[in-house]
Amino acid sequence: MTTVRTHYDVTAQALNAETGWHVEERGGSNQQLILGKISYSLEENVRYWSFFFPEGVTLPQVEYILRMPDTLNCVITGEPSQLVGFADSPERYRLDSLVFSKRIYLYIDAELSLNDKQHLNAIGTTLGLSIQVRDREYVRNCIELSKPAAFISHDSRDKDTLVRELARNMSVRCTVWYDEYSLKVGDSLRESIERGLKEAKKCIIILSPNFISNGGWTKAEFDSIYSREIHEKRNVILPVWHNVSKNEVYEYCPRLVDRVALPSSIGVHALSEKLAQAIMA
């Protein structure tokens, strides 16, 4: 399960210096361990802060962290200055010479109100900082945005004649699940495909002689998409006819003949535009 802490941990993995503080309310109650890391971007010559505030933290505790001298100077007291560089370059940089961008990311494991966020941004403005709040709402939005708008089901033999260029054009307009873009080394092929089929708003099926004759992955994908339509009681399939006849489509699945399809002969740009319009409708 993706959490606020997960986002804090995986963001800016390249070059970081991390520390922590035990912060408590006045009177010695509600002690919280706050994590912080300075991320160094050598190519941009800047450094910036990210903080993680666990569940139960209060706004005064967040404000205390923002007002700390270490925060305002973007340093970790006691951290030795280092000379670093890229393995393939002779150039070296002193980390303390990088410019503090004044950007601070606040990863807060809570559901903040708009007033809370505005309050933190106002504090940041007063301190000359640029505050970016990332709470549970932010995580939910990230999860939703990571879901593909469309899954492109196709036979691999059609990549060079249509699918690769279509996926490239579609990706400018919306998020697509396409194997060359969406699969990484070590991924489970079955699990990744099933997740894409379930999460995508629409499923583009490139119906071609190659697709129709393929009794392996494409047949399994089509069966899953067809079953999803029945289960959800709504149209999910966006068919594209690619060098295929009406009779061939009818023999493969009679129901698809009644579905309005786009011919690939209209060209990739027009095809991607019309598909994007259908997906976002």
Side-chain angles (χ1 to χ4, degrees), residues 205-220:
I205 298 181
I206 309 299
L207 289 164
S208 69
N210 290 327
F211 187 98
I212 290 172
S213 66
N214 188 330
W217 276 109
T218 57
K219 182 63 168 63

Side-chain angles (χ1 to χ4, degrees), residues 152-166:
I152 303 179
S153 180
H154 65 286
D155 185 282
S156 60
R157 291 168 289 183
D158 295 321
K159 287 184 183 296
D160 292 338
T161 59
L162 173 66
V163 183
R164 184 175 291 110
E165 188 177 357
L166 176 63

